[in-house]
Amino acid sequence: MRYLRIIFAAIFAILFVISSVLVLLLFNIEQKAFSSETYKQAFENQGLYQRMPTILGDTLTTYLAENGDIVPFLQVLTAEDWQNSIALLLPPEELKGMANNALDATFDYLNGKTDSATISLQPVKARLASDSGTQVVLEVLRRQPACTTEQLTQMAMGLFGGQIVLCNPPEEAIGLMMPFIQSQLQSMMTLFPNEVTFIPGAASGTPDDPRLKLNAVRSGIKLTLFIPALLLFGIAVFAVRSLVDGLTWWGWPLMFAGGISVLVALFGSPVVGKILRLVIQKQGARLIPPTLASSIAETTSAVAGQMLTPVMIQGFILGVAGLGMVIAAMFLASRERDQIIQRANTNSL
């Protein structure tokens, strides 16, 4: 019976080591992976803030296509037109601020703080309404095919009231068009949105909420915290009959779990990064815009280190605690043996 108890305790100890390492990994990854702060530094280091014109361009193209009350000139602009225009309009610091706001809105949505994610377009709107906006319109027109005779006639008529024609006018006509473009821009800005929703989402907890499966997985990860505790209890039930037993049977598993966790944290960053990247590429686009999901996926190698740093610290604490328990067990066992020998010698006298 005693040997059977030891076998069960050993199995529980092995399972404790394995589960502890996995729980530390999953728990810390879950905590860091759903924080916008984790990705902001990675965006900075990898120059991904430069992707903001692409993200905004795609978002605006989708928004304008879905809203028929926007002026025709804005509706016919392609995503590439918007990307180039936003890159010309906004300085790097404003693009960075908008990217940070987009990341905050995204993770507020994923964390259930909001039921959608929006981004303010006030910086873009303010720039479009200024002289910079006029220059951007001219740049857009210059990238178009040369105006046909019919388009030039339409443009001439437009000078007396109408819409900007999307074609490349001759240089001599640009000076005449400038007041018209400026007046048209002022009219457009009354219809231009102050913000756009780039993740429509759904009411929290409803069947249409795409975060339901994600929330179930995250809840499951948090519940795994109880598994190592239950295994330690199982070890105690089968093997612990004294203080020395407790320190020994808990100390060694804790020491091994902590040591392996530290090793995984030190050398596992590339593997964790690749796994995260695959998950985001396959599942992320179902929750957030593909362009943003792609940008976040590119940060996984950089953020893996941030995610594993707590694992290393916690593993070190576990390892030191386990080592301390093993040393204490050895000391107490040695003292008990000395006491037994001393009592035996006393009795023999």
Side-chain angles (χ1 to χ4, degrees):
M1 185 67 180
R2 178 174 175 272
Y3 291 110
L4 189 61
R5 287 192 291 103
I6 291 174
I7 290 172
F8 277 114
I11 293 172
F12 277 32
I14 294 170
L15 291 175
F16 170 81
V17 173
I18 296 171
S19 65
S20 294
V21 175
L22 290 175
V23 166
L24 283 180
L25 276 172
L26 292 174
F27 180 76
N28 285 289
I29 288 173
E30 189 273 337
Q31 291 292 301
K32 289 287 186 179
F34 292 92
S35 170
S36 62
E37 298 301 323
T38 303
Y39 300 93
K40 289 178 183 177
Q41 187 61 50
F43 268 54
E44 181 75 43
N45 294 339
Q46 297 185 237
L48 293 179
Y49 283 116
Q50 298 171 5
R51 296 282 185 85
M52 199 57 196
T54 302
I55 296 170
L56 277 176
D58 291 345
T59 302
L60 273 170
T61 304
T62 302
Y63 175 85
L64 294 172
E66 294 173 351
N67 290 270
D69 56 346
I70 303 297
V71 290
F73 177 76
L74 294 181
Q75 288 181 315
V76 297
L77 293 179
T78 65
E80 185 179 359
D81 289 329
W82 279 114
Q83 292 165 22
N84 294 328
S85 300
I86 290 167
L88 289 171
L89 279 173
L90 298 177
E93 284 305 310
E94 288 193 33
L95 284 173
K96 179 179 178 180
M98 294 186 74
N100 286 340
N101 291 338
L103 287 171
D104 288 336
T106 297
F107 287 98
D108 282 346
Y109 166 74
L110 292 177
N111 290 318
K113 295 180 181 179
T114 60
D115 288 330
S116 62
T118 61
I119 186 169
S120 173
L121 294 179
Q122 288 290 3
V124 178
K125 190 172 182 177
R127 295 277 179 173
L128 279 173
S130 68
D131 291 339
S132 298
T134 305
Q135 295 303 317
V136 166
V137 172
L138 290 176
E139 286 296 323
V140 171
L141 294 179
R142 288 187 178 114
R143 287 196 294 269
Q144 309 305 316
C147 293
T148 63
T149 303
E150 182 181 350
Q151 288 172 322
L152 286 173
T153 303
Q154 184 180 352
M155 193 176 297
M157 295 177 63
L159 295 175
F160 303 98
Q163 299 292 339
I164 301 173
V165 180
L166 202 62
C167 66
N168 184 8
E171 287 295 324
E172 56 269 21
I174 289 178
L176 294 173
M177 293 177 60
M178 291 292 285
F180 169 63
I181 292 174
Q182 291 169 347
S183 66
Q184 284 291 295
L185 274 176
Q186 294 299 322
S187 300
M188 291 179 195
M189 289 308 99
T190 60
L191 296 174
F192 195 84
N194 292 322
E195 64 179 21
V196 292
T197 300
F198 62 96
I199 305 179
S204 180
T206 63
D208 295 329
D209 189 348
R211 297 166 294 179
L212 288 177
K213 290 183 179 178
L214 177 65
N215 291 338
V217 171
R218 294 179 67 184
S219 298
I221 289 173
K222 292 173 182 176
L223 288 174
T224 60
L225 290 171
F226 295 101
I227 294 175
L230 291 173
L231 290 170
L232 281 179
F233 177 75
I235 292 171
V237 169
F238 286 106
V240 176
R241 296 296 181 269
S242 66
L243 178 59
V244 172
D245 289 344
L247 292 172
T248 302
W249 278 96
W250 281 14
W252 285 105
L254 284 170
M255 187 170 66
F256 275 104
I260 294 172
S261 296
V262 170
L263 291 175
V264 169
L266 287 173
F267 303 107
S269 183
V271 176
V272 172
K274 288 180 180 179
I275 293 172
L276 287 173
R277 184 168 188 152
L278 286 173
V279 171
I280 292 172
Q281 287 175 336
K282 290 185 177 181
Q283 304 296 328
R286 299 180 182 181
L287 297 168
I288 58 180
T291 307
L292 182 58
S294 175
S295 297
I296 291 175
E298 289 188 34
T299 69
T300 51
S301 296
V303 302
Q306 296 183 49
M307 296 174 181
L308 293 178
T309 298
V311 175
M312 183 169 61
I313 295 171
Q314 294 158 9
F316 179 78
I317 293 171
L318 280 181
V320 170
L323 179 61
M325 293 172 74
V326 170
I327 292 173
M330 291 178 176
F331 173 77
L332 290 175
S334 176
R335 192 172 68 171
E336 287 181 3
R337 285 195 300 270
D338 291 342
Q339 290 174 348
I340 292 171
I341 293 171
Q342 185 178 7
R343 282 198 297 270
N345 290 336
T346 301
N347 292 335
S348 64
L349 293 175

